[in-house]
Amino acid sequence: VLQNINTASNDAVIAISNDGQKLFIFRSNEEDGGDIYECKLMGTEFSEPEKLKGEVNSKSWEGSVSLSANQRKLIFASEKPGLSGGKDLYEATLLENGTWGKIKNLGKTINTEFDDDAPFLHPDGRTLVYSSMGHNSMGGYDIFKCTRKDSLTPWSRPINLGYPINSTYDDVLFIPDESNESASYCSNRRN
């Protein structure tokens, strides 16, 4: 199923759309820090990856992404020179010509002077979960959650999900189910 995707370079699956029809991958090369590509499901196989069209990718690292349920917004992480330093979270809007534009940094409420990465935009469009080395992290990356009333209101202050989800190690890639009753995430803790 993934024979069209893998190369001799660094390829990593980083997200899939809620409907399962779009697969997002990270691919790096010698020219830049790495970019986000999209593959579309064609029958039972995914198409060859195409670099996201528009303004998301730059010469800096762009390596994690989440697509809204209506597929009109992307939340992505980038190391492009930004507001806060390190990796920051940004939002992109799908334009009428099919490219991603209107890039906006999510601001200092979300981003810190440290790395902010691994966004997951819940299908409700009102909940954002991500990992940060800043805010009130226990050590390494911790998982944070913020909410908003609708797409026109700002995100709330991030809340650390606390122990036992977070630890003094790196806790990332938190993906809750639609009901918000269970989730999967990655951690490099010893056990």
Side-chain angles (χ1 to χ4, degrees), residues 161-175:
L161 294 187
Y163 181 83
I165 291 172
N166 288 317
S167 68
T168 56
Y169 296 92
D170 289 327
D171 304 295
V172 297
L173 300 168
F174 189 87
I175 302 175

Side-chain angles (χ1 to χ4, degrees), residues 139-186:
Y141 279 108
D142 274 7
I143 298 166
F144 292 83
K145 174 183 166 183
C146 52
T147 58
R148 63 183 177 185
K149 283 186 177 181
D150 55 49
S151 62
L152 301 175
T153 58
W155 291 105
S156 68
R157 284 210 163 288
I159 298 168
N160 188 313
L161 294 187
Y163 181 83
I165 291 172
N166 288 317
S167 68
T168 56
Y169 296 92
D170 289 327
D171 304 295
V172 297
L173 300 168
F174 189 87
I175 302 175
D177 65 11
E178 279 195 61
S179 68
N180 273 329
E181 300 209 3
S182 66
S184 300
Y185 67 102
C186 296

